Amino acid sequence: MKNIYHGRCNDNTRAAIRLAFHDAGTFSLALQSAGQPNGGADGSLLTDPDEVNRPENNGLQTIVGLLQPFPARYGVSPGDIIQVAGTLAVIACPGGPQIKTWVGRSPPANINPTGLLPDTHAAVPVLTARFADMGFGTRELMALIGSHSTARQRFVDPARAGQTLDTTVDIWDVRFYTETQNNITNPNVFHLPSDLAFSQHPTTQQDYNRFVGGDRQSNWAGDYQKAHEKMSLLGYNQNSLTDCTEFMPVAIDLEKIAPNGNKGDPTIPPAVIESAIDQTRSIWL
């Protein structure tokens, strides 16, 4: 939280959230039932020298390099390091909820299979089927894509590299959902093709709409907590792990700091956000 994230929502936190999904998101129920080598939240992205250099993992090299020394340094598994880094990264962003954090994963048995990470250009039925193969329903998927609230795109359109996916990139809020659905025109904001499609497709729109509107912050936070925890356990039995959530920092609740009682308002003044960061993150700044 101190040396990598500096107590804030920065490019390393964004990368750590993406890394947690890219490591876990190659899990497949079909491969599991067939007894074939599978992916999961096992940390193979830290152990295999070639996996991080796959095209779908572009941009993760820096965060992988920062985290690679940690398993040996602390005597824990690579999967634990990646998933703890992910839950810490979420909470480092103002508005990010505290996610139940589990440790005790075994080392990776193999590298992640190829061709299983979702492609933003794929059709909605293809994407929902891939997430179903991980064990996620549509509502969980719509909650998970909200992590794009603090994301930047760099490789979907290299000509627009660095653009954010909503107008409040350093705040974990629901503005992403509204702005994507409205397809706002902003020279600094990029909409992923899959996000636009999810907001309009008849099979996903209803669940997407659960998180549209400034008053939906707590709705999304609750659903995201459960979906992210589930993602962090892919390939593992929760009963064999240890709940270490007690060491997690306190979350910055946007509804509690929103001015004039306007719950979930993503237009919280920057000074108010900074004050909340100073009060809750001072030991890491």
Side-chain angles (χ1 to χ4, degrees), residues 55-225:
E56 63 267 30
N57 293 323
N58 276 343
L60 294 177
Q61 289 80 8
T62 296
I63 190 65
V64 164
L66 289 169
L67 296 177
Q68 275 178 328
F70 285 18
R73 183 180 301 170
Y74 297 111
V76 296
S77 73
D80 285 347
I81 288 298
I82 286 181
Q83 295 307 321
V84 168
T87 55
L88 276 173
V90 169
I91 211 165
C93 296
Q98 187 184 84
I99 297 162
K100 188 170 286 189
T101 299
W102 300 88
V103 298
R105 294 167 186 81
S106 55
N110 48 259
I111 64 172
N112 281 328
T114 59
L116 292 179
L117 284 173
D119 183 347
T120 187
H121 296 291
V124 168
V126 173
L127 292 169
T128 55
R130 172 76 271 270
F131 275 87
D133 185 37
M134 293 182 219
F136 291 110
T138 302
R139 179 170 176 172
E140 294 170 314
L141 169 54
M142 292 305 98
L144 283 173
I145 67 168
S147 63
H148 293 165
S149 169
T150 58
R152 295 181 186 272
Q153 82 82 27
R154 303 184 190 278
F155 304 101
V156 178
D157 184 350
R160 300 175 64 183
Q163 290 187 328
T164 66
L165 304 189
D166 77 357
T167 56
T168 52
V169 67
D170 295 325
I171 304 175
W172 189 271
D173 60 27
V174 291
R175 179 170 284 201
F176 158 79
Y177 289 98
T178 304
E179 292 182 350
T180 302
Q181 186 177 70
N182 293 337
N183 198 6
I184 67 156
T185 301
N186 185 307
N188 299 312
V189 174
F190 185 91
H191 301 300
L192 294 177
S194 55
D195 291 340
L196 287 170
F198 284 141
S199 73
Q200 303 297 330
H201 197 277
T203 63
T204 53
Q205 188 176 39
Q206 181 176 353
D207 284 315
Y208 185 100
N209 284 340
R210 294 176 185 274
F211 313 121
V212 174
D215 61 345
R216 305 299 177 88
Q217 183 74 22
S218 60
N219 292 359
W220 173 45
D223 277 17
Y224 185 87
Q225 282 174 307

Side-chain angles (χ1 to χ4, degrees), residues 34-48:
Q36 297 179 17
N38 205 353
D42 59 7
S44 64
L45 268 164
L46 294 189
T47 61
D48 182 78

